[in-house]
Amino acid sequence: MEQIFVLLNFFATGAGLLVIAAVAAAIVLVWNWRIALLGIFVVQAGIGAIGVAVYELPAQWLGLQLIVTLLAAVVLAISAQQSAAARARRQAGNWVVRLLALIIAAFVWRQIDLSAVPPAMDASTTALLGWLALCVVLLLGLGDSPLFTTVGLLLWTMTGQFLLAVLIPSQNLFALIGGLGLLIALGGSYLMLLDVAPSAARASILTDITFPYSQRTATQQAASPDEDPMADMAPLPGFV
């Protein structure tokens, strides 16, 4: 286990920060569910390693977050395998549109001064968290896929948990946000499976308009195909 943490210390370097930012951008640019699920695990490992190596967070915190992220990725992968023709696996536009969105986000990111927010962190870590937040905005704004919405929310919880772990270190918060991440993954998995449910299995709501017609038209059309099935639904007055 210690050897794994030593290998993850790479993410605490300048090159490691660039790798984390590039992985987050690749999730938006490629828009592939396999890349997205692998990407959230790499991002979690990266910001977790930064927390342990730079901000002296406990190694158990990193191990817990990696386990939670792995479970969330497995749950989403199982649902993605069963939703081959659903919106969960469709791309949001083409790669040119997503590349232009990333360029605009990078321009905005360069214009915002994040060096002093929050003051407990160094400028490079704060800039990385700002970039992750912009990638989350792109994931939530470019499409309505349940899978990529869930991926964006998971990235958001990773960023928020890192901030809370540095500013307000508490084991209760670690467990609470980890459980929230699993709930988000389960909810996204349910929405992905619901998205591929056949329309015939969804029961229609009977109203006073559809109920008489749905109960009687089949029999009437079978008996007399040329007769209007709606004719006896509005009977004539008695004196006619």
Side-chain angles (χ1 to χ4, degrees), residues 132-177:
L132 293 178
L134 288 175
C135 290
V136 170
V137 172
L138 293 179
L139 285 173
L140 298 180
L142 288 177
D144 59 348
S145 166
L147 173 61
F148 285 92
T149 300
T150 305
V151 169
L153 293 177
L154 288 175
L155 286 176
W156 192 268
T157 57
M158 294 175 192
T159 305
Q161 186 177 46
F162 181 82
L163 286 171
L164 291 177
V166 174
L167 300 177
I168 313 174
S170 174
Q171 295 182 357
N172 294 330
L173 286 177
F174 298 164
L176 180 62
I177 300 181

Side-chain angles (χ1 to χ4, degrees), residues 23 26-43 69-70 72-74 76-84 88-91 139 145 147-148 151 192:
V23 169
I27 294 176
V28 179
L29 181 61
V30 180
W31 207 272
N32 180 273
W33 68 272
R34 294 182 178 87
I35 300 297
L37 297 183
L38 179 61
I40 60 174
F41 186 80
V42 173
V43 170
T69 306
L70 180 61
V74 170
L76 293 174
I78 293 174
S79 298
Q81 290 285 353
Q82 301 178 8
S83 57
R89 297 177 62 172
R90 297 176 188 171
Q91 293 196 347
L139 285 173
S145 166
L147 173 61
F148 285 92
V151 169
M192 291 165 59

